[in-house]
Amino acid sequence: ASEDHKEYLKHALHIARTAGQTILAAFNTRSSLHIDLKNDNDADLVTQVDRSVEAAIFSYLRAQYPSHRFVGEEGTAASGDTNTGIVANDETPTWVVDPVDGTTNFVHGFPFVAVSIAVVIRGTPVVGVVYNPIMNEMFQGLLNGGSSMNDIALPLPPVRPLKSLASALVATEYGSDRGSEVLDAKFAALRDVVGSPARGVRSLGSASLTMCYVARGALDAYWEAGVHAWDVAGATVILREAGGLVSNWSKPDSSAAEPYDICARNVVCVRKTAEELHAKAILESIRTTLRPVGYTRD
Ligand code: IPD
């Protein structure tokens, strides 16, 4: 891993821990939360904590790296411009931040809540930190430098054998979009994967943590349509460094070998297996089951 990337990771860890203290304090005293609906949608929430944590993270990072770019969930939502500007030929390091991933969990007191911080260069996440301050789980990953949870290398041992979907614990999410076309596509995908059959299905309510649980080996696979770059950027490097595979599924004719586009609004991933061909086969069997959901690229 490059020295620059190591320094980015150091700052990301520091500010994630600081943000985590704010999130934990607010989680424990939820009565004073100020909650707003995004686009008048009861399934898409934002709180004052999301906004203030994002502002604090960016103010710290901007002071360290004034020439870098900064993309955050709440700033992007407030500006109404969903184009992140993240493209494959951009050399400028871009910090991609979700201050509270799992806002609905946060509001309801369900403890899968994380701050996610990534550095993306040329469209590829090179540093990722996903911190759940409620459960005190710190996931970190560095391109070509490995990944860990609370300083233990991922995946956590013992790594269970996994040869096919039939013995897999999988995860997906319904997202915040309640349009019937989108829901039909998601439920059809869920039906097909679970009927394949998969052993069990979970929904944790935080895309970044779900990917980290795949990296950890507690979940075997995960897919979702509707995710944004800030939900998946940090966890992508953590999962890859843990030997997992991550891919897009919006283009049925595309190859799983194409580099994962964090802005494409979808994800499918599988954890490390003893033999990679098993992970590849599981990834492919999920990808071919999924029907495209037409979201505009971030
Ligand atoms: C959401 C969560 C959720 C996923 C959504 C995300 P937020 O992020 O990760 O699990 O289903 O797609 O938008 O809004 O809590 O930061």
Side-chain angles (χ1 to χ4, degrees):
S2 89
E3 290 308 312
D4 282 353
H5 296 179
K6 285 184 191 163
E7 194 188 281
Y8 302 159
L9 177 62
K10 201 181 74 193
H11 287 300
L13 288 167
H14 169 76
I15 195 62
R17 284 218 182 272
T18 307
Q21 287 168 7
T22 307
I23 295 167
L24 179 62
F27 184 88
N28 288 335
T29 55
R30 265 169 302 122
S31 54
S32 58
L33 278 186
H34 180 88
I35 302 162
D36 285 323
L37 307 185
K38 284 190 188 166
N39 306 315
D40 225 11
N41 180 350
D42 270 302
D44 200 358
L45 309 179
V46 58
T47 73
Q48 200 43 46
V49 178
D50 299 56
R51 295 195 188 97
S52 65
V53 167
E54 182 168 307
I57 292 172
F58 282 156
S59 121
Y60 173 83
L61 293 173
R62 274 205 178 94
Q64 314 296 327
Y65 299 110
S67 65
H68 288 187
R69 291 207 316 121
F70 301 89
V71 172
E73 172 169 27
E74 305 318 333
T76 307
S79 73
D81 181 2
T82 54
N83 181 354
T84 59
I86 296 171
V87 284
N89 58 6
D90 188 359
E91 298 279 338
T92 312
T94 302
W95 293 79
V96 182
V97 170
D98 191 341
V100 180
D101 184 36
T103 305
T104 303
N105 288 345
F106 175 64
V107 166
H108 287 256
F110 190 78
F112 285 86
V113 174
V115 46
S116 173
I117 302 178
V119 181
V120 176
I121 300 177
R122 280 181 239 96
T124 302
V126 298
V127 166
V129 167
V130 175
Y131 178 46
N132 177 346
I134 322 299
M135 296 159 87
N136 194 25
E137 292 181 344
M138 174 68 87
F139 295 89
Q140 57 177 291
L142 188 60
L143 182 67
N144 301 323
S147 62
S148 62
M149 185 194 99
N150 294 350
D151 295 325
I152 304 170
L154 295 174
L156 299 185
V159 180
R160 254 182 344 100
L162 177 67
K163 290 196 172 159
S164 74
L165 204 49
S167 60
L169 184 61
V170 302
T172 190
E173 294 281 333
Y174 309 98
S176 53
D177 196 335
R178 297 293 186 265
S180 66
E181 210 174 305
V182 169
L183 281 184
D184 284 350
K186 289 183 181 177
F187 282 120
L190 179 62
R191 200 233 156 275
D192 288 352
V193 177
V194 173
S196 283
R199 179 174 281 165
V201 59
R202 302 287 181 267
S203 276
L204 302 185
S206 161
S208 63
L209 281 175
T210 306
M211 288 177 75
C212 288
Y213 274 55
V214 175
R216 172 186 178 150
L219 288 169
D220 298 310
Y222 161 59
W223 73 92
E224 180 174 353
V227 288
H228 288 281
W230 44 82
D231 297 315
V232 297
T236 292
V237 58
I238 293 167
L239 175 64
R240 281 187 174 142
E241 289 295 320
L245 303 177
V246 55
S247 168
N248 294 114
W249 57 278
S250 60
K251 295 169 280 177
D253 53 345
S254 69
S255 151
E258 277 178 27
Y260 175 57
D261 178 4
I262 58 168
C263 295
R265 307 288 315 272
N266 60 69
V267 62
V268 53
C269 60
V270 175
R271 74 162 164 91
K272 180 186 169 80
T273 53
E275 291 178 61
E276 197 174 70
L277 67 99
H278 292 135
K280 282 188 170 154
I282 294 169
L283 188 80
E284 217 35 64
S285 73
I286 297 177
R287 283 180 88 249
T288 47
T289 312
L290 304 173
R291 302 180 185 37
V293 181
Y295 288 109
T296 314
R297 189 176 185 277
D298 271 339

